[in-house]
Amino acid sequence: MAFQLDARTPSGPLEHRWSKAKQEMKLVSPANRRKYTVIVVGSGLAGGSAAATLGELGYNVKCFSYHDSPRRAHSIGAQGGINAAKNYQNDGDSAYRLFYDTIKGGDFRSRESNVYRLAEVSVDIIDQCVAQGVPFAREYGGTLANRSFGGAQVSRTFYARGQTGQQLLLGCYQALERQVDAGRVRMFHRHEMLDLVVIGGRARGIVTRNLLTGAIDCHVADAVVLATGGYSNVFYLSTNAKACNATAIWRAYKRGAGFGNPCYTQIHPTCIPQSGDYQSKLTLMSESLRNDGRIWVPKKKGDTRNPNEIPEEERDYYLERMYPAFGNLCPRDIASRAAKLMCDQGFGVGPSGRGVYLDFKEAIGRLGRKTIEERYGNLFEMYEQITAEDPYSVPMRIYPAVHYTMGGLWVDYHLQSTIPGLFVLGEANFSDHGANRLGASALMQGLADGYFIAPYTVGHFLAQVKPGGVEAEHAEFRAAKEQVEQRTRRLLSIQGKKTVDDFHRELGKIMWEYCGMARNATGLKHALEKIPEVREEFWHNVNVPGSAEELNQSLEKAGRVADFFELGELTCLDALEREESCGGHFREEHQTEEGEAKRDDERFCHAAVWEYAGEDKPPVRNVEPLQFEFVHLAQRSYK
């Protein structure tokens, strides 16, 4: 049976909808909150803030992380900043303008109500983080500083040099540890969620593996919150940390949670180019660098001269030429495709020809080296350590790479999935970014969901159910545990010839080649033939050494890659079915004469929500129509 997709969007004026929703939500009294147990999977910005806030409210919280400390969550990888409509620069910003920029940046493929709430809540996030001691950059007079990011013509991005994610995570971590000390949050370090348990149509707990001892355990709760990040590592090479995976949301999908828009994957335009097949990940250079760096290629194809020897008149500042209104700060999907176009046409730089220059010479001359060091010093140091090139004296070389996933588990306005009692926060859900995320909005969404939205909506759900009533010995828990153990035994028993990384790399090449920056029907159909073949070989020829009763990172990776095979296939299927171009989903058959993404609003102005139909059965594609009451659908233009 197809899902009943009720987004539960409030009615009335856009700017009053979140207030109205909060007023109508049911409450749990302080004395009763300690009777309820909430599981939070993930302890990055979204999960850590949710666990800390729910603990502060008095709920009994269990928080799970596969790291040895929440401080190692991939949220630290966010460099450039966090958006908020404070309008400190007095340059015309507002909650509505942030809302509009986000809707437009996502190519009109997200819900108006969710996005406006995000913009509205953004101002509270900054106050919360300042109160926690997050060391945002400040102006000489003491006010918080802002800089610009892609897709906006105002300065609304708050930052802490190039370490914004790390500093925000430290503030969140302190709040979380305060609740651990108070006994309201119990941390489970080095535990990985391997299954979701659904009883009576409602999420009631999870099955985990202790990564140090191998113990498989069941954990019961009254509600489950997933905040486990994105799935970019399905491409093997991405800017994500190597441990980032999709197992938690994929287990939930196979238990009945709808998966929204899996083909919406984002390519980041400013990454250090790949230097060889030996690499296992790519390194991000923050989008904030595009504030002061100018992107260019030589006008002459195959020009191998030192960039400092190429005169101005022989340089093509192509983003400034192609998109004069936004220049180097056009959105990520547009900047990425433009870089690919330049390289495909033979203007690329570097040993592989897969690179463009990001040049700070003009900014250093105008502002001085000291100012650039204050703004981006750690990023410049990181670049020099990796490339052995000094970006103060020669331009950086950059090229697009897989970065963020806008797709994820479908959620309604309450951030609840199609499984009652299962809430999904941050990058793990699909809700706020449409087909393309604007830079500096990931941190904003994660903290908005965790600090300011989930505490209301989870409480509303709990107020309508009785606490407890299920034990870990319930038949569904025992069955889920047995399935996890059986899957583990199967992986260890294959004893094939190829490593997990061999298979992961092969999958990644298929995904990048046929479902990467540009896609077409022929390539997607080829990928949908090839992925099942490689997956079949994986289950007959992978080699997973060691045992299940100890720390075994090969076993961890094998389970995650097995899920990536299935998710990769769904991603390609979703991309094939969406016969339009929008945001990060660029179908070569659907583009304007100028080479821009061409949407088909008549046929595809909706979210695609995939439903698991069972083993060896094709998934079911459901749709949630997107209605636009406050913005007009229009062809995106940044010219």
Side-chain angles (χ1 to χ4, degrees):
M1 179 181 292
F3 289 140
Q4 298 299 313
L5 297 173
D6 180 8
R8 292 201 282 181
T9 301
S11 59
L14 189 63
E15 63 273 18
H16 296 156
R17 289 184 174 182
W18 178 228
S19 296
K20 177 183 178 184
K22 289 189 290 185
Q23 290 298 325
E24 294 175 349
M25 286 182 190
K26 300 183 185 299
L27 302 176
V28 180
S29 72
N32 286 333
R33 290 174 195 158
R34 68 179 71 96
K35 300 176 184 177
Y36 290 92
T37 298
V38 180
I39 284 175
V40 178
V41 185
S43 57
L45 283 179
S49 59
T53 308
L54 289 166
E56 182 77 38
L57 288 169
Y59 294 104
N60 175 38
V61 179
K62 292 181 177 181
C63 186
F64 293 82
S65 170
Y66 57 63
H67 293 297
D68 54 0
S69 167
R71 290 172 295 178
R72 293 180 62 83
H74 189 57
S75 298
I76 68 168
Q79 299 167 342
I82 176 172
N83 286 332
K86 283 287 195 181
N87 196 32
Y88 282 166
Q89 304 298 315
N90 197 30
D91 57 359
D93 201 11
S94 64
Y96 184 87
R97 195 176 293 274
L98 174 53
F99 153 74
Y100 182 79
D101 287 346
T102 305
I103 288 279
K104 177 183 176 183
D107 216 350
F108 303 91
R109 287 296 179 260
S110 51
R111 283 193 211 117
E112 286 183 324
S113 297
N114 285 64
V115 176
Y116 190 88
R117 176 177 63 185
L118 178 64
E120 180 184 358
V121 167
S122 69
V123 297
D124 299 323
I125 297 171
I126 303 304
D127 296 338
Q128 170 90 0
C129 294
V130 168
Q132 291 174 337
V134 174
F136 287 120
R138 292 180 181 268
E139 304 288 359
Y140 178 76
T143 56
L144 297 183
N146 290 117
R147 56 190 178 200
S148 299
F149 258 62
Q153 291 179 309
V154 298
S155 296
R156 63 162 67 100
T157 304
F158 296 77
Y159 63 98
R161 295 188 77 186
Q163 322 172 341
T164 313
Q166 183 180 34
Q167 297 303 323
L168 289 170
L169 186 62
L170 289 173
C172 174
Y173 172 71
Q174 292 174 103
L176 177 60
E177 289 303 302
R178 179 173 177 270
Q179 296 307 312
V180 172
D181 182 66
R184 290 188 285 265
V185 175
R186 183 181 174 192
M187 281 299 308
F188 291 81
H189 302 104
R190 304 295 283 158
H191 282 67
E192 182 171 20
M193 173 185 160
L194 295 181
D195 211 343
L196 176 75
V197 179
V198 179
I199 299 175
R202 172 183 156 201
R204 294 309 308 263
I206 63 174
V207 179
T208 64
R209 179 175 183 268
N210 184 319
L211 299 182
L212 298 179
T213 68
I216 306 295
D217 297 308
C218 298
H219 300 272
V220 183
D222 299 294
V224 177
V225 177
L226 300 186
T228 51
Y231 50 90
S232 285
N233 276 349
V234 71
F235 290 85
Y236 186 68
L237 284 179
S238 82
T239 66
N240 283 198
K242 283 295 292 177
C244 293
N245 66 87
T247 289
I249 59 172
W250 194 249
R251 297 293 105 203
Y253 164 73
K254 297 186 82 169
R255 292 292 183 183
F259 206 115
N261 301 328
C263 76
Y264 288 167
T265 52
Q266 181 174 73
I267 313 296
H268 197 293
T270 53
C271 299
I272 299 178
Q274 181 182 358
S275 57
D277 289 338
Y278 58 84
Q279 277 187 253
S280 60
K281 76 175 300 294
L282 298 172
T283 303
L284 174 69
M285 288 284 102
S286 170
E287 182 177 311
S288 63
L289 295 171
R290 292 199 276 153
N291 269 279
D292 292 305
R294 300 179 71 194
I295 296 173
W296 63 277
V297 293
K299 290 183 178 179
K300 178 183 176 183
K301 293 183 180 182
D303 194 333
T304 58
R305 285 180 290 174
N306 183 302
N308 291 333
E309 297 176 357
I310 301 176
E312 282 291 314
E313 61 271 17
E314 296 182 35
R315 300 180 178 190
D316 181 8
Y317 294 92
Y318 60 88
L319 289 179
E320 298 173 30
R321 169 175 57 82
M322 297 165 68
Y323 307 100
F326 284 75
N328 296 299
L329 287 172
C330 61
R332 290 176 174 177
D333 58 323
I334 290 174
S336 294
R337 285 197 294 274
K340 181 179 185 295
L341 177 65
M342 292 295 108
C343 294
D344 288 348
Q345 291 179 346
F347 297 101
V349 301
S352 66
R354 291 285 164 185
V356 298
Y357 288 127
L358 179 59
D359 197 336
F360 291 87
K361 182 179 180 180
E362 188 272 338
I364 291 172
R366 174 169 46 87
L367 302 170
R369 174 167 172 156
K370 185 174 184 296
T371 298
I372 299 300
E373 287 178 344
E374 290 173 349
R375 291 178 180 177
Y376 315 111
N378 63 304
L379 297 172
F380 277 49
E381 292 167 10
M382 185 165 64
Y383 182 87
E384 185 173 10
Q385 288 173 1
I386 292 172
T387 66
E389 297 175 0
D390 177 16
Y392 291 105
S393 58
V394 295
M396 290 183 178
R397 286 179 295 107
I398 59 170
Y399 191 71
V402 181
H403 178 56
Y404 188 89
T405 53
M406 287 74 67
L409 292 187
W410 183 91
V411 292
D412 60 19
Y413 190 72
H414 287 218
L415 305 183
Q416 184 172 240
S417 72
T418 53
I419 301 175
L422 177 66
F423 296 81
V424 192
L425 315 185
E427 191 178 357
N429 76 31
F430 92 120
S431 68
D432 291 0
H433 305 298
N436 175 61
R437 177 178 68 83
L438 292 183
S441 287
L443 302 179
M444 175 175 64
Q445 185 205 354
L447 292 179
D449 289 356
Y451 280 138
F452 298 107
I453 300 172
Y456 280 96
T457 59
V458 173
H460 172 71
F461 172 80
L462 294 175
Q464 301 173 77
V465 299
K466 292 183 179 180
V470 171
E471 301 294 333
E473 293 304 313
H474 190 282
E476 292 292 343
F477 274 95
R478 291 201 306 270
K481 182 178 180 181
E482 172 56 31
Q483 289 173 24
V484 168
E485 292 172 342
Q486 184 179 12
R487 179 181 170 91
T488 301
R489 289 192 297 268
R490 182 183 177 190
L491 287 168
L492 290 167
S493 69
I494 298 169
Q495 298 181 341
K497 304 290 186 183
K498 294 170 66 173
T499 68
V500 176
D501 283 341
D502 288 336
F503 283 104
H504 194 182
R505 189 180 293 109
E506 190 169 356
L507 171 65
K509 287 181 178 178
I510 295 170
M511 293 297 297
W512 177 252
E513 183 69 25
Y514 302 110
C515 196
M517 240 188 297
R519 301 133 183 215
N520 60 57
T522 302
L524 290 167
K525 289 175 182 176
H526 176 76
L528 288 168
E529 293 174 358
K530 192 67 178 173
I531 292 173
E533 292 176 6
V534 182
R535 181 174 70 240
E536 183 69 17
E537 185 190 357
F538 171 88
W539 283 108
H540 288 90
N541 197 31
V542 73
N543 185 287
V544 183
S547 74
E549 287 74 42
E550 60 185 351
L551 175 65
N552 188 340
Q553 293 185 317
S554 292
L555 177 60
E556 296 170 31
K557 288 194 290 185
R560 296 164 185 171
V561 171
D563 291 331
F564 278 144
F565 273 114
E566 297 178 8
L567 174 54
E569 188 174 3
L570 184 66
T571 301
C572 292
L573 181 60
D574 188 45
L576 180 63
E577 292 289 329
R578 186 169 285 277
E579 296 183 24
E580 66 165 352
S581 291
C582 56
H585 169 64
F586 189 76
R587 284 285 295 270
E588 293 175 338
E589 308 95 324
H590 304 284
Q591 52 184 304
T592 65
E593 292 181 0
E594 296 80 21
E596 304 293 348
K598 185 177 181 180
R599 297 195 320 269
D600 184 343
D601 293 332
E602 187 174 331
R603 298 171 59 209
F604 292 101
C605 190
H606 59 245
V609 187
W610 291 90
E611 178 181 1
Y612 181 67
E615 206 72 35
D616 299 322
K617 294 181 180 179
V620 179
R621 187 180 191 270
N622 303 277
V623 300
E624 178 206 340
L626 295 173
Q627 299 175 346
F628 291 91
E629 303 175 62
F630 302 94
V631 298
H632 297 292
L633 289 168
Q635 176 68 35
R636 279 197 310 170
S637 175
Y638 292 93
K639 296 183 177 182

